[in-house]
Amino acid sequence: MAPRANWKGFLRLSLVTCPVALYPATSESEKISCNQLNRQTGHRIKYLKFDADTGDEVPNEDIVKGYQLEKDQFIEVTKEELEEIALESTRTIEIDEFVDKAEIDPRYLIRPYYIRPDGKVGHDAFAVIRETIREMNKVAIGRVVLTNREHIIALEPMDKGLVGTLLRYPYEVRSEQEYFDEIQDVKVTKDMLDLARHIVNQKAGSFEPEKFEDHYESALIELINQKRTGKPIVPKDRPKGENVVDLMDALRKSVGGAAAKTEAPKKPAKKTKKAAAAQKEMLMPIAGKKLAKEAAAKKPTAGTRRKSA
């Protein structure tokens, strides 16, 4: 089942308008998450909202937003007042301009969303807007209101839909000068560049996200499974950073190490021992939400017969 739309409204290019829905293109829900517990009792921690002066608990319906002018002095802003601002982008993504993708600084990118027609009408207008952006090889820039704030959104065609990426405002991006000014000016020799290029060529590949592994997630799953079965937790050695004394020597060794790693044959996977049925039932290891989701998708349907063991 597709997730619920984060926003519904209209996409407009001049006088061409169509109803659209906006959906999150990424998810964090598959990652392992831990709860906070009381070490003494093992019970979960619960957070309550209290009045800073009286100490009384405040119900959600009595909580409003306020802008702090100075210490202990606030301007209260209600939900109704925020809704009365009623920016046009609250209900409409108006395309203001088209730019080259290369002009968008990656520091301005926030998060992507999928955009598709909402309902059975407007597919023709949506297709016209999508194919115009594709044909011109441009990125469409518009505005949209999400979580009570107006955002800049960059629209690009993807398959039959659009991908809209929220962008930051200039005041949200820090200047690089305060971080880079103290970096020393170093002259890099041609020999060093040649060796470094050789390393890059040995490691060259294609961008395939399927190859990426979340090593922390895997280690966390392994840790939880070890604690469930009562196995001792043995700390792993951490990699030690070493000062490079001879940069040329380090580059030469890196070239040789990369070549050896590329040519090394893959070892066959070790066969795991079968656990007793009772033990397997009691100590079924967790697989993580991502793997569990993939396994559920591969389960046979009710009408499929299984071979008897």
Side-chain angles (χ1 to χ4, degrees):
M1 178 183 289
R4 291 178 59 187
N6 280 31
W7 182 92
K8 288 188 176 184
F10 296 89
L11 175 63
R12 182 163 64 203
L13 173 60
S14 189
L15 298 179
V16 180
T17 305
C18 60
V20 294
L22 186 147
Y23 301 84
T26 59
S27 172
E28 297 286 325
S29 61
E30 284 77 19
K31 290 187 175 181
I32 290 286
S33 59
C34 296
N35 295 300
Q36 291 184 316
L37 306 176
N38 181 343
R39 185 195 297 271
Q40 304 298 327
T41 65
H43 301 157
R44 288 182 60 177
I45 299 298
K46 182 180 179 181
Y47 288 93
L48 302 176
K49 297 176 181 179
F50 292 93
D51 186 300
D53 291 334
T54 66
D56 297 331
E57 185 179 348
V58 182
N60 287 332
E61 59 268 22
D62 291 339
I63 297 177
V64 296
K65 293 185 177 182
Y67 174 79
Q68 184 172 359
L69 292 176
E70 53 186 67
K71 187 177 180 181
D72 298 328
Q73 185 177 357
F74 298 87
I75 297 291
E76 181 182 315
V77 182
T78 66
K79 181 180 179 181
E80 291 73 23
E81 288 171 335
L82 290 173
E83 291 175 349
E84 286 176 3
I85 294 176
L87 294 171
E88 186 178 5
S89 51
T90 303
R91 290 288 297 157
T92 303
I93 300 176
E94 176 79 39
I95 297 177
D96 296 323
E97 61 179 344
F98 294 86
V99 302
D100 292 331
K101 187 174 182 178
E103 295 179 354
I104 301 178
D105 189 322
R107 293 176 297 176
Y108 285 79
L109 305 178
I110 301 179
R111 73 180 68 89
Y113 289 88
Y114 294 135
I115 300 174
R116 71 181 189 189
D118 184 31
K120 297 181 179 180
V121 298
H123 286 250
D124 291 344
F126 182 87
V128 168
I129 295 173
R130 180 196 64 214
E131 293 309 309
T132 301
I133 301 172
R134 197 194 307 273
E135 179 69 22
M136 298 298 293
N137 195 26
K138 295 281 188 178
V139 175
I141 304 296
R143 290 161 286 120
V144 64
V145 171
L146 288 173
T147 60
N148 295 324
R149 296 300 298 263
E150 185 179 59
H151 298 271
I152 306 299
I153 188 167
L155 307 174
E156 299 176 76
M158 175 179 279
D159 195 18
K160 295 190 294 182
L162 291 171
V163 173
T165 304
L166 298 189
L167 303 178
R168 294 182 174 89
Y169 288 98
Y171 67 83
E172 297 179 283
V173 178
R174 294 175 176 174
S175 171
E176 72 280 2
Q177 296 303 323
E178 56 183 305
Y179 304 97
F180 296 165
D181 277 350
E182 297 181 5
I183 298 177
Q184 299 177 8
D185 292 325
V186 177
K187 183 175 177 58
V188 181
T189 67
K190 182 179 181 302
D191 290 342
M192 289 181 177
L193 282 175
D194 287 342
L195 285 170
R197 287 194 195 99
H198 193 64
I199 296 171
V200 172
N201 288 331
Q202 288 176 323
K203 292 178 173 289
S206 301
F207 181 71
E208 300 175 18
E210 296 79 12
K211 296 190 299 186
F212 301 158
E213 179 186 351
D214 189 338
H215 295 287
Y216 180 85
E217 183 83 355
S218 300
L220 181 57
I221 292 172
E222 182 182 357
L223 172 66
I224 293 172
N225 284 326
Q226 286 179 338
K227 292 181 74 71
R228 285 189 70 192
T229 56
K231 293 181 180 179
I233 306 301
V234 180
K236 296 181 179 179
D237 294 333
R238 294 190 177 186
K240 297 179 180 178
E242 299 178 358
N243 292 328
V244 177
V245 178
D246 188 333
L247 185 55
M248 282 295 292
D249 184 52
L251 285 167
R252 291 192 188 98
K253 288 180 179 178
S254 297
V255 170
K261 189 175 181 180
T262 304
E263 296 170 3
K266 293 182 179 180
K267 294 182 179 180
K270 294 181 179 180
K271 293 183 178 180
T272 55
K273 295 181 179 179
K274 292 185 178 179
Q279 182 185 13
K280 188 175 181 181
E281 181 69 25
M282 293 174 60
L283 302 176
M284 182 68 71
I286 65 167
K289 296 179 182 178
K290 180 176 181 293
L291 293 177
K293 187 176 180 181
E294 292 173 353
K298 294 179 180 179
K299 281 186 178 180
T301 58
T304 304
R305 290 187 178 181
R306 297 183 181 179
K307 291 183 179 179
S308 56

